[in-house]
Amino acid sequence: MNKRYETSFKHKVCREYQIGGVTKVELQYRYGIGGKSAIVNWLRDLGYIADNRIKPHSAITLSANEKSDSAQLKALKKELEDAQLKLEAYQRMIAIAEKKFKIEIEKKSGTK
C-alpha cells in the first residue's frame, strides 16, 4: 500500500537531508518512509536536485545575484592568475637581463 505524505512533510525531510549530517536511510528509518527511492523522488520532484545525481549538502539553485557573484568571482580569479603569470614573466626577464648584461636591475633590500 502506497502511503501519501503531505508536501510540507516532504519539504521538511528534503531540507533535513540537504543540511547534512543524516543519510537518506536514516531519514527513512526515523520517519518510517517506505520505498528505497522515495526521498530521491521528493528531492527531484520538489526541485531540490536538478538531475538524477544526488548532490547532498549543497544548494541546488542559485539566485540571479549568486550567479552574477559567481561569474564575477570567476573573472577575478582569472584576472589574478593572469597577473601572477605576468609577474613571473617580468621576474624571469629581469633575471635574464641581469645575467646577460651583468647589471643589477632589482634593488636589493637594505641598500641605498
Side-chain angles (χ1 to χ4, degrees):
M1 180 178 154
N2 285 342
K3 190 172 182 182
R4 295 273 181 192
Y5 299 95
E6 294 290 324
T7 304
S8 60
F9 174 75
K10 292 177 183 180
H11 278 289
K12 176 186 173 188
V13 172
C14 290
R15 282 191 300 269
E16 201 170 324
Y17 175 70
Q18 226 180 0
I19 289 170
V22 64
T23 66
K24 292 186 303 288
V25 174
E26 290 170 333
L27 287 170
Q28 287 175 311
Y29 180 75
R30 181 182 301 165
Y31 295 112
I33 300 167
K36 286 195 247 182
S37 60
I39 294 176
V40 174
N41 290 335
W42 296 351
L43 290 164
R44 191 177 305 116
D45 295 343
L46 297 173
Y48 288 90
I49 58 174
D51 58 6
N52 292 337
R53 292 175 286 158
I54 299 293
K55 299 173 186 173
H57 321 303
S58 65
I60 301 304
T61 57
L62 297 175
S63 69
N65 287 343
E66 290 171 327
K67 287 180 183 176
S68 67
D69 288 348
S70 177
Q72 186 178 14
L73 179 61
K74 196 174 198 177
L76 287 172
K77 284 182 178 181
K78 176 70 173 141
E79 193 175 324
L80 175 62
E81 184 180 332
D82 290 346
Q84 288 172 332
L85 287 173
K86 188 183 278 190
L87 173 64
E88 186 178 339
Y90 286 145
Q91 288 173 333
R92 286 184 183 190
M93 288 181 355
I94 289 171
I96 291 169
E98 285 180 334
K99 190 174 186 178
K100 184 174 183 178
F101 298 113
K102 295 180 173 74
I103 59 172
E104 195 173 301
I105 297 173
E106 284 188 307
K107 184 175 181 178
K108 306 297 181 211
S109 63
T111 61
K112 290 189 177 186

